[in-house]
Amino acid sequence: QSALTQPASVSESPGQSIAISCTGTSSDVGGNKYVSWYQQHPGKAPKLMIYDVSNRPSGVPDRFSGSKSGNTASLTISGLQAEDEADYYCSSYISGSTLFGGGTKLTVL
Amino acid sequence: QITLKESGPTLVKPTQTLTLTCTFSGFSLTTSGVGVGWIRQPPGKALEWLGIIYWDDDKRYSPSLKSRLTITKDTSKNQVVLTLTNMDPVDTATYYCAHWTTVLYFDSWGQGTLVTVSS
C-alpha cells in the first residue's frame, strides 16, 4: 500500500480559490466513498474537514468542499483566508486500514 | 464530547520497546463499528497510519510495521495500548491516537506525544 499522492505545496492569494488533489488507485480512492481530508496547523493535531468525499462536519465553514473523479479526490477552499494556511492531508479507507496522502502545505500569500 | 490523550515515555533508546497508552472518554470501545487508531508523524513529515483496534477486538496493522506492532484495549479503563518493539531513530515521531467512527473516518484526535529514539 503506497501513500496517496498530493502536491507538496500550493499557494494562492486571500479571497481566491484553490484545489488540492489526492490521487490513489481503483483499490482505494477510486474504489469507495470513504475519502476524508484533515487540516493541520503547526504543532497541532489534525482536524477533520471533509468525510465521505464531500461531507462537512458540523462547524467546518462551507468554504471547504470536496469532490472525486475516478482515482483522484480534491479539496477546494474558496474565499481563502489567512487562517486556512496549514498542511492538508487526504486519507482513504481500504479494507479495515487507512491510507494517508503525503500532505500539501497551503500558503496564503 | 470525545477526548483522547496519549501518554508514555518521551525518550527511548534504540532496540527498546515503546509502550504508549491512549486514554479516552466520550465514547465506548464496545459500540459496534467504533475503533481507536494510531497515527504517527516524524518531525516535518507526513502522517503515517500505524494501526487500529476495533470494538470487536479486530486489529489491523500497517504492513511495514506488522512484525513490530501490537495494539490492545482495556475497555474497563477506556484505554488502548500501542507497543512497538525494536525502536530505531527513524521511529522518532509524534504519536497520535484517534477515534474511528462507525462511518469510517477519524473524527477526534489526541494532542499527540513526541517520542524521540536516541541513545
Side-chain angles (χ1 to χ4, degrees):
Chain A
Q1 296 173 337
S2 300
L4 306 175
T5 301
Q6 298 181 234
S9 63
V10 295
S11 60
E12 189 51 272
S13 302
Q16 300 302 304
S17 296
I18 197 157
I20 299 172
S21 62
C22 169
T23 301
T25 70
S26 58
S27 296
D28 39 67
V29 173
N32 61 58
K33 69 172 184 174
Y34 303 117
V35 175
S36 50
W37 289 89
Y38 301 88
Q39 175 193 66
Q40 187 181 35
H41 287 110
K44 300 294 187 182
K47 174 188 175 184
L48 178 69
M49 304 300 284
I50 295 286
Y51 66 93
D52 290 357
V53 174
S54 59
N55 292 316
R56 279 187 312 277
S58 174
V60 172
D62 60 7
R63 301 184 295 104
F64 291 84
S65 62
S67 62
K68 189 181 80 167
S69 177
N71 298 336
T72 298
S74 296
L75 172 70
T76 300
I77 310 172
S78 59
L80 276 168
Q81 300 181 3
E83 66 206 51
D84 299 333
E85 185 163 295
D87 293 327
Y88 291 86
Y89 293 91
C90 62
S91 75
S92 177
Y93 170 79
I94 170 173
S95 302
S97 306
T98 296
L99 277 177
F100 282 103
T104 298
K105 180 177 180 58
L106 168 63
T107 300
V108 181
L109 301 169
Chain B
Q1 179 192 4
I2 291 175
T3 65
L4 306 99
K5 187 172 184 179
E6 309 84 355
S7 59
T10 58
L11 178 66
V12 298
K13 290 181 167 50
T15 75
Q16 287 186 337
T17 294
L18 171 69
T19 300
L20 293 176
T21 300
C22 175
T23 303
F24 58 85
S25 64
F27 69 95
S28 173
L29 202 37
T30 61
T31 300
S32 179
V34 168
V36 172
W38 286 95
I39 303 98
R40 71 180 179 182
Q41 185 173 37
K45 296 189 177 182
L47 300 173
E48 177 187 11
W49 182 86
L50 303 181
I52 190 168
I53 188 165
Y54 291 99
W55 86 104
D56 60 355
D57 210 38
D58 185 25
K59 302 158 192 175
R60 303 297 174 99
Y61 299 120
S62 167
S64 65
L65 293 171
K66 191 172 184 177
S67 63
R68 301 169 51 210
L69 180 62
T70 303
I71 300 175
T72 59
K73 62 181 174 69
D74 185 333
T75 53
S76 66
K77 294 183 179 179
N78 280 355
Q79 290 182 333
V80 171
V81 175
L82 172 149
T83 303
L84 188 61
T85 62
N86 195 24
M87 292 290 283
D88 182 272
V90 300
D91 296 313
T92 293
T94 296
Y95 286 74
Y96 296 98
C97 62
H99 172 250
W100 180 257
T101 75
T102 57
V103 283
L104 309 183
Y105 52 84
F106 292 113
D107 67 342
S108 299
W109 295 61
Q111 64 188 26
T113 184
L114 175 62
V115 178
T116 301
V117 184
S118 175
S119 54

